[in-house]
Amino acid sequence: MCLAASGTIVAITPQPDGDSLWLRARVDFGGVRQWVSLACLPQARVGDQVLVHVGLALSLVEHEL
Amino acid sequence: MNEAWTVMEVCGGQTQAILRWGLDQLLPDGMELVHGPGCPVCVTPAACIDQALQLALQEPVILCSYGDMLRVPGSPRPQGCGDLLQARAGGGDVRLITSPWQALELARQQPERQVVLLAVGFETTAPATALVVLQACRLGVANLTLLQAHVRVVPAMEAVLAAAGNRVQGFLAAGHVAAVMGSAELEQLVRRWRIPVVISGFEPQELLAALELCQQLLSAGTPRLINAYGRVVRPAGNGEAQVLMRRVFAPADGPWRGLGAIRSGVLRLRPAYRHLDAVGRFGLGDSGNGEAQTGSGAPDPGPPCHAAAVLQGRCRPSDCPSFGSACTPQNPLGAPMVSSEGACAAYYRYRR
Amino acid sequence: MSRVLLGHGGGGSLMQELIAGEFAALYSDRALLADDAARLELPQGPLAFSSDGYVVQPLEFAGGDIGRLAVVGTANDLAMVGARPLHLSVSLILEEGLPLALLRRLVASMAAAARQCGLTIVTGDTKVVERGKADGVFITTSGIGVCQSPGAIGPAAMAPGDQLLLSGDLGRHGLAILAARHGLELDPPVATDCAPLWPQVEALLQAGITLHALRDLTRGGLGSALLELAAVSGCDLWLDEQALSLAPGVESCCRLLGLDPLHLANEGRFVLALPADQAVAAAAILAPGGGRWIGEVRAGTGAAVQVRLRTCLGSQRLLAPFSGELLPRIC
């Protein structure tokens, strides 16, 4: 269940009205880049590693392992 | 260490990883692994798929779903079980999506069509569906509806423990559900059933480490929750995702394919969003509890199917007399054979 | 099954069923069904003959297009029976409204590919169908080549103890197509591996290597090629998963979409089975292109033949069957 991949945020689209409903980020998954919703991780910043499922970032991934 | 412990990995993704990496050959001594019901595609009620098949063939409808959903058969019928790939071959407009925003985008691009999102998944996937619902409402998109079968994983774990003949003594909990829901529900489960639970990731090393921890808890007789996926899972989970989910969905009793009704086991759209329910929009009648049981419990005494026992960890896929013969991924008898994440299908792929 | 599914064209088990169930009656000799090209024993010498249709979308993708694929693909099918590709026919089905500029690019690409393969396009045909009755361009190419191997090359010659070599890394073509279809941006970019295989096959033959079986990896990837070889030869195949090298981006993309890298398409790779005592020499010939040893052939043990992989953890598993359509999954 729940195939998710972690990638690194390379860019975040600016939100004119500060409404996180539409917040999006460009995420690099080991050489493959995709747009991802940041609506559930508004605190994420460029350079953060995030876990993404069906195009929604769900968790900040700590750098370890 | 003479005691033999039976541990269930709940999540189909973990089942897949365990068999993909042959981890069942590398288990700690004295541990038996059984596979859980955690494949939302498998447990989507056949009646819901029947509705999707029916909708896909209606002229204005574009039916969108995830790839693994497209080959899950609906109820057995005289002409064989249909799936959405066959509906597409029969003229239905069925689109493969990898995120629910693709359905929203399609609805905005083609206002003259009716876009139906067949939305399935556990609490990992439900927030994305909820977000798309809220965005569609905000944008005033009138031609997007949901055929939704989101389910909740902890109630299913409870159902496994409550079933007669249960053998499960410890759980590996699904890491990505926990990333959203945090540990509170699992803490309650541990307290109520006095059973050890280890939240695990999906990499082979993570799974082996989690199994080892689970065995330690079992040997020590200390039923506790351990978060072995701390690099991703926070105790509180993802608050924003939980809020989104609660705004749009409410827990309800409902059917899981192969397991029957589970108390508080599904999510339903809240009244404020019912106008987005494809069942109402297209007058499909309630999929409710009218689940056509696949395999076990079906009135037709065809080849035997031990789906319910497999989903509850009471037997292994390969213990079923129909496994690999009467029942294959091309011609599944029971829920765990219908998607590649199902325990039976994973056995068929990697262990025949 | 009452209708043809997309998966029936995907190079997996569905296609095998369709061929065995529906097309077998067309062929004079069922054994011919299993090969990429037919070896015809003519009085003047053995000739190879093959035909292939191309329907890829998008028509142009990183590193190639449908025109290049149509020329190189058929040339490669000829090479897989040990034949030097000589001449090709090209049949085009064009959809009304196709931009002429695009058609010109495809034709130029076919001409360049023919030069690269060392073959000539000698005859052809063009049809135009109403808008909506085709998807831009469909191309069918047929080709002939002269067989340069001493005997027929085919999986029937495979025997326990044979070694398996793979000519390069995996997944480039499939990745380029997936990226274009699913709007994925690849950084660094990955282009299709579409390339003529005859030069490598010729080098092996000139070195006196005995080739028991050759199979180019197209739809269905290495996985389908191996399952087919196992089925036809009646032998089990054992692979060392660590020996397989994936092109950059392949692993990430497969992780993201939930696909098996062994099922991604390739257009410039082949797998070969050969006697163990020649494996080192053959691997050295293929090494410049990334070729290497990947596994071995063993006597079939179970009721059905198996392709087994040893994982990097020391465990083993069966190679997953592939129905024919790559479906990204969420769970």
Side-chain angles (χ1 to χ4, degrees):
Chain A
M1 152 197 64
C2 310
L3 186 83
S6 63
T8 308
I9 297 179
V10 291
I12 296 177
T13 51
Q15 285 307 295
D17 54 358
D19 184 353
S20 65
L21 195 64
W22 311 98
L23 197 58
R24 292 202 312 161
R26 192 78 175 154
V27 175
D28 179 85
F29 301 90
V32 181
R33 291 180 178 199
Q34 252 191 338
W35 285 105
V36 157
S37 169
L38 273 191
C40 293
L41 274 184
Q43 73 275 28
R45 296 289 170 261
V46 170
D48 283 349
Q49 213 185 337
V50 290
L51 183 83
V52 178
H53 172 69
V54 296
L56 178 65
L58 288 174
S59 180
L60 286 172
V61 181
E62 281 168 15
H63 295 268
E64 43 163 312
L65 200 78
Chain B
M1 196 165 324
N2 297 323
E3 238 162 334
W5 304 108
T6 303
V7 173
M8 169 182 277
E9 90 282 356
V10 176
C11 165
Q14 291 175 341
T15 306
Q16 166 95 359
I18 284 165
L19 294 167
R20 156 76 180 73
W21 292 103
L23 302 186
D24 48 335
Q25 300 150 37
L26 307 171
L27 291 179
D29 281 340
M31 174 172 281
E32 189 196 354
L33 207 50
V34 293
H35 314 297
C39 166
V41 171
C42 303
V43 301
T44 296
C48 175
I49 294 164
D50 293 343
Q51 291 174 332
L53 292 169
Q54 193 187 331
L55 277 179
L57 293 170
Q58 290 188 19
E59 187 64 45
V61 169
I62 301 177
L63 196 121
C64 300
S65 200
Y66 306 108
D68 27 7
M69 210 56 229
L70 301 187
R71 50 177 159 221
V72 177
S75 307
R77 281 177 243 163
Q79 68 273 33
C81 319
D83 62 30
L84 285 164
L85 292 179
Q86 289 173 31
R88 188 174 70 188
D93 194 343
V94 176
R95 308 281 179 98
L96 186 160
I97 56 170
T98 54
S99 103
W101 285 276
Q102 291 162 344
L104 178 60
E105 208 41 50
L106 209 52
R108 296 181 71 187
Q109 285 163 4
Q110 304 205 37
E112 74 288 357
R113 304 288 299 274
Q114 286 290 329
V115 176
V116 178
L117 170 61
L118 172 56
V120 300
F122 287 126
E123 293 95 327
T124 325
T125 321
T129 309
L131 187 56
V132 165
V133 164
L134 293 177
Q135 290 182 343
C137 290
R138 193 77 69 84
L139 293 168
V141 173
N143 60 327
L144 176 71
T145 51
L146 297 186
L147 195 55
Q148 77 90 15
H150 284 295
V151 288
R152 301 178 62 225
V153 75
V154 172
M157 292 165 79
E158 300 239 10
V160 165
L161 294 175
N166 168 54
R167 296 166 53 215
V168 175
Q169 296 164 293
F171 280 118
L172 290 198
H176 293 152
V177 168
V180 172
M181 299 305 290
S183 50
E185 288 182 316
L186 293 168
E187 292 279 11
Q188 281 179 17
L189 184 84
V190 168
R191 272 199 299 276
R192 198 172 313 146
W193 293 88
R194 303 204 42 79
I195 186 168
V197 176
V198 181
I199 299 172
S200 172
F202 294 74
E203 297 300 324
Q205 299 84 349
E206 290 174 328
L207 284 161
L208 285 175
L211 285 167
E212 199 128 324
L213 285 170
C214 198
Q215 190 187 37
Q216 285 167 17
L217 292 178
L218 283 163
S219 304
T222 48
R224 276 205 300 134
L225 176 71
I226 295 183
N227 178 6
Y229 197 30
R231 67 191 180 98
V232 163
V233 175
R234 314 288 174 272
N238 184 317
E240 280 86 359
Q242 292 168 24
V243 167
L244 277 177
M245 213 179 338
R246 273 200 297 272
R247 248 174 97 181
V248 174
F249 297 110
D253 301 346
W256 284 43
R257 189 175 192 165
L259 282 180
I262 291 186
R263 195 173 174 75
S264 194
V266 306
L267 292 171
R268 295 245 190 266
L269 283 170
R270 288 190 186 275
Y273 303 99
R274 288 270 163 81
H275 61 288
L276 292 173
D277 190 346
V279 173
R281 175 86 54 99
F282 297 95
L284 295 173
D286 188 21
S287 76
N289 291 314
E291 188 209 348
Q293 281 279 343
T294 306
S296 56
D300 172 28
C305 169
H306 294 181
V310 169
L311 288 168
Q312 294 171 343
R314 284 187 281 120
C315 84
R316 261 172 222 289
S318 43
D319 298 334
C320 174
S322 301
F323 174 79
S325 53
C327 181
T328 63
Q330 286 74 44
N331 186 20
L333 291 176
M337 189 60 102
V338 300
S339 158
S340 64
E341 302 298 290
C344 295
Y347 264 60
Y348 185 84
R349 289 166 75 80
Y350 296 131
R351 283 212 32 179
R352 256 165 307 144
Chain C
M1 203 76 73
S2 61
R3 293 175 193 273
V4 171
L5 304 179
L6 257 188
H8 278 116
S13 58
L14 280 174
M15 199 174 85
Q16 295 304 325
E17 285 164 27
L18 189 73
I19 292 172
E22 309 294 335
F23 300 151
L26 287 176
Y27 288 81
S28 54
D29 180 355
R30 286 188 71 99
L32 293 174
L33 280 173
D35 290 327
D36 289 318
R39 180 179 163 115
L40 308 173
E41 302 292 347
L42 302 185
Q44 300 82 352
L47 203 66
F49 180 47
S50 186
S51 185
D52 217 336
Y54 297 82
V55 296
V56 67
Q57 278 294 336
L59 296 172
E60 299 178 289
F61 43 83
D65 54 59
I66 189 172
R68 176 171 170 78
L69 217 53
V71 171
V72 173
T74 294
N76 286 348
D77 282 344
L78 294 168
M80 290 303 101
V81 295
R84 171 193 298 280
L86 288 182
H87 305 298
L88 223 57
S89 76
V90 174
S91 166
L92 296 163
I93 293 176
L94 309 178
E95 185 185 10
E96 175 188 28
L98 182 80
L100 260 185
L102 171 57
L103 180 63
R104 289 184 184 128
R105 287 200 298 279
L106 296 179
V107 169
S109 168
M110 279 191 274
R115 280 193 298 277
Q116 194 193 359
C117 292
L119 57 76
T120 52
I121 295 171
V122 292
T123 181
D125 179 53
T126 305
K127 298 283 190 298
V128 179
V129 295
E130 285 169 59
R131 187 185 281 275
K133 306 275 171 164
D135 201 354
V137 182
F138 297 154
I139 305 179
T140 300
T141 52
S142 300
I144 55 171
V146 280
C147 294
Q148 313 245 300
S149 67
I153 299 173
M158 285 165 64
D162 277 6
Q163 303 296 300
L164 297 167
L165 308 185
L166 175 65
S167 71
D169 63 7
L170 292 173
R172 289 177 185 265
H173 181 71
L175 185 62
I177 298 290
L178 274 178
R181 283 197 193 147
H182 292 283
L184 305 170
E185 179 198 340
L186 301 178
D187 179 28
V190 175
T192 175
D193 56 347
C194 177
L197 298 177
W198 171 246
Q200 285 165 299
V201 175
E202 186 179 33
L204 293 168
L205 289 171
Q206 284 177 349
I209 304 283
T210 309
L211 301 172
H212 279 173
L214 284 173
R215 190 61 53 120
D216 61 337
L217 316 181
T218 55
R219 295 164 296 176
L222 176 67
S224 287
L226 292 174
L227 289 166
E228 274 179 52
L229 287 181
V232 178
S233 69
C235 298
D236 286 354
L237 306 182
W238 283 69
L239 293 203
D240 194 338
E241 189 168 33
Q242 279 175 291
L244 303 174
S245 111
L246 303 181
V250 165
E251 191 167 8
S252 314
C253 182
C254 285
R255 210 170 252 260
L256 203 57
L257 298 177
L259 302 174
D260 188 334
L262 296 190
H263 293 148
L264 285 198
N266 306 268
E267 290 290 345
R269 302 285 182 264
F270 64 97
V271 64
L272 74 121
L274 79 177
D277 58 358
Q278 302 186 24
V280 172
I285 290 167
L286 297 177
R292 62 213 288 192
W293 175 89
I294 58 164
E296 64 188 9
V297 178
R298 294 191 188 176
T301 49
V305 291
Q306 296 182 332
V307 180
R308 283 199 169 270
L309 289 100
R310 267 186 299 266
T311 74
C312 58
L313 304 173
S315 54
Q316 39 168 290
R317 73 167 190 278
L318 292 179
L319 179 69
F322 175 58
S323 72
E325 193 169 4
L326 280 175
L327 293 174
R329 56 189 173 83
I330 61 155
C331 57

